[in-house]
Amino acid sequence: MISLEEYAKICNLISSCNDMIEGKFILADAKIAKILKDIGESKEIYNVLADCMKTFNYEREFGRARVTSPSKPSSFVLPREPEKMLPLVFCVLMDINSGKIDLNYFLNQYFWSEGGNSAQYKRFAVEIIKPFRDVLAKVFDIDPASATKLEGEALEREEVENEPEEQAPAEVEEEEPEGEQEEPSPQDEYFDEIRDLCKDMLTELSCDMKIKAHERDDLEYIINAIISACDDKSIKYSSALIISFGHMAERVKCIRLLAKELKHAMVRFFRGL
């Protein structure tokens, strides 16, 4: 059973999806960023997505979702399987947020409508965000239409349950003998491996003079962001950045293999959980 705090966070995400579905094209980028922020703040949502990511191939599913026809405009059709649809939508939103996918181009290419940006945005919200919202709402048995109300109720209940209570005196913990050190946890070993791979990639990029300056800057920015996420011990943000970075690094020969090893390290870690 999930905690009331997590329940409120999930309702908050669904509420953000509702805002995007019911809203207009203006500030669409900010709405996408809000959805991603809500995902990152919920451990339960993150665990669902991380479980889906174990066997998910973004490039393959993205290619399958693009439907082209000589007589009709191209479209983007989500897979029916929730375990493929959820990570696909998440990765598309990540790519839009990072700038790898231009939202205007994506709407014109796959959600074309004579009504212009507003109508295209509406199609995107209904065909992409709504199924994503509905599946997550079903997983956690939440009514999407009342998510905002439920969020408020959950927070109120959380405040009541968190009211101070008389507690027994805390037990004094025995100090460990000096010289004894704890074994590094699998999580610490994972972050160390990711840091080492990132540092190797930074070295390779600095030595490759064929890469354009702006491309090197973009790659180094993401790599340093991954290192920072590891320093903060954030599995959520490091894994999201690694997935997004993988698509950027495919075109860069000097770090291509290291980037693949980065993704493999992430997959091995999740399989070991």
Side-chain angles (χ1 to χ4, degrees), residues 158-186:
E158 184 77 8
E159 289 176 359
V160 171
E161 292 195 0
N162 285 338
E163 287 183 356
E165 294 180 1
E166 293 185 3
Q167 297 180 353
E171 294 183 3
V172 178
E173 295 183 0
E174 295 183 3
E175 294 184 1
E176 294 183 3
E178 291 185 5
E180 293 186 10
Q181 296 183 350
E182 294 183 359
E183 290 286 332
S185 67

Side-chain angles (χ1 to χ4, degrees), residues 38-67:
D38 291 339
I39 290 173
E41 290 180 349
S42 171
K43 180 180 178 181
E44 294 292 335
I45 296 291
Y46 169 75
N47 288 339
V48 170
L49 290 172
D51 189 55
C52 294
M53 288 290 187
K54 293 178 182 178
T55 57
F56 179 69
N57 186 309
Y58 180 41
E59 294 82 2
R60 180 178 61 210
E61 297 303 331
F62 187 88
R64 288 176 175 175
R66 293 182 294 178
V67 179

Side-chain angles (χ1 to χ4, degrees), residues 16-32 35 93 96 103-104 106-108 110-113 115-130:
S16 294
C17 291
N18 289 342
D19 289 342
M20 188 160 188
I21 295 167
E22 298 163 5
K24 298 181 180 180
F25 179 70
I26 187 171
L27 299 178
D29 291 338
K31 293 172 184 175
I32 289 174
I35 289 174
L93 295 179
I96 292 174
L103 180 58
N104 284 321
F106 193 67
L107 295 179
N108 289 329
Y110 301 111
F111 301 90
W112 186 87
S113 173
N117 281 344
S118 295
Q120 292 168 2
Y121 169 81
K122 190 65 179 178
R123 278 193 60 194
F124 172 80
V126 170
E127 296 175 23
I128 302 297
I129 303 300
K130 187 175 182 293

Side-chain angles (χ1 to χ4, degrees), residues 26-220:
I26 187 171
L27 299 178
D29 291 338
K31 293 172 184 175
I32 289 174
K34 179 63 167 62
I35 289 174
L36 293 173
K37 180 177 181 292
D38 291 339
I39 290 173
E41 290 180 349
S42 171
K43 180 180 178 181
E44 294 292 335
I45 296 291
Y46 169 75
N47 288 339
V48 170
L49 290 172
D51 189 55
C52 294
M53 288 290 187
K54 293 178 182 178
T55 57
F56 179 69
N57 186 309
Y58 180 41
E59 294 82 2
R60 180 178 61 210
E61 297 303 331
F62 187 88
R64 288 176 175 175
R66 293 182 294 178
V67 179
T68 59
S69 171
S71 58
K72 298 180 180 179
S74 299
S75 59
F76 196 84
V77 181
L78 295 179
R80 294 182 178 179
E81 303 92 334
E83 65 273 15
K84 294 180 180 178
M85 184 268 282
L86 289 176
L88 177 58
V89 174
F90 172 69
C91 289
V92 167
L93 295 179
M94 282 289 297
D95 279 353
I96 292 174
N97 191 56
S98 68
K100 186 176 186 295
I101 292 178
D102 181 85
L103 180 58
N104 284 321
Y105 174 82
F106 193 67
L107 295 179
N108 289 329
Q109 185 74 13
Y110 301 111
F111 301 90
W112 186 87
S113 173
E114 293 181 354
N117 281 344
S118 295
Q120 292 168 2
Y121 169 81
K122 190 65 179 178
R123 278 193 60 194
F124 172 80
V126 170
E127 296 175 23
I128 302 297
I129 303 300
K130 187 175 182 293
F132 179 78
R133 178 204 68 180
D134 289 348
V135 169
L136 289 176
K138 185 176 181 180
V139 168
F140 297 101
D141 194 23
I142 295 173
D143 179 8
S146 58
T148 302
K149 179 181 178 182
L150 287 172
E151 177 188 1
E153 291 177 353
L155 289 172
E156 289 175 6
R157 288 158 61 195
E158 184 77 8
E159 289 176 359
V160 171
E161 292 195 0
N162 285 338
E163 287 183 356
E165 294 180 1
E166 293 185 3
Q167 297 180 353
E171 294 183 3
V172 178
E173 295 183 0
E174 295 183 3
E175 294 184 1
E176 294 183 3
E178 291 185 5
E180 293 186 10
Q181 296 183 350
E182 294 183 359
E183 290 286 332
S185 67
Q187 181 173 308
D188 290 334
E189 292 178 349
Y190 166 70
F191 286 132
D192 288 340
E193 182 179 7
I194 296 302
R195 282 194 202 92
D196 290 341
L197 288 168
C198 286
K199 291 175 182 177
D200 289 343
M201 286 191 287
L202 288 173
T203 301
E204 292 294 332
L205 287 172
S206 66
C207 295
D208 193 337
M209 297 297 104
K210 296 180 181 179
I211 303 175
K212 295 179 180 179
H214 71 276
E215 293 179 350
R216 180 184 288 107
D217 290 343
D218 290 344
L219 292 164
E220 289 178 347

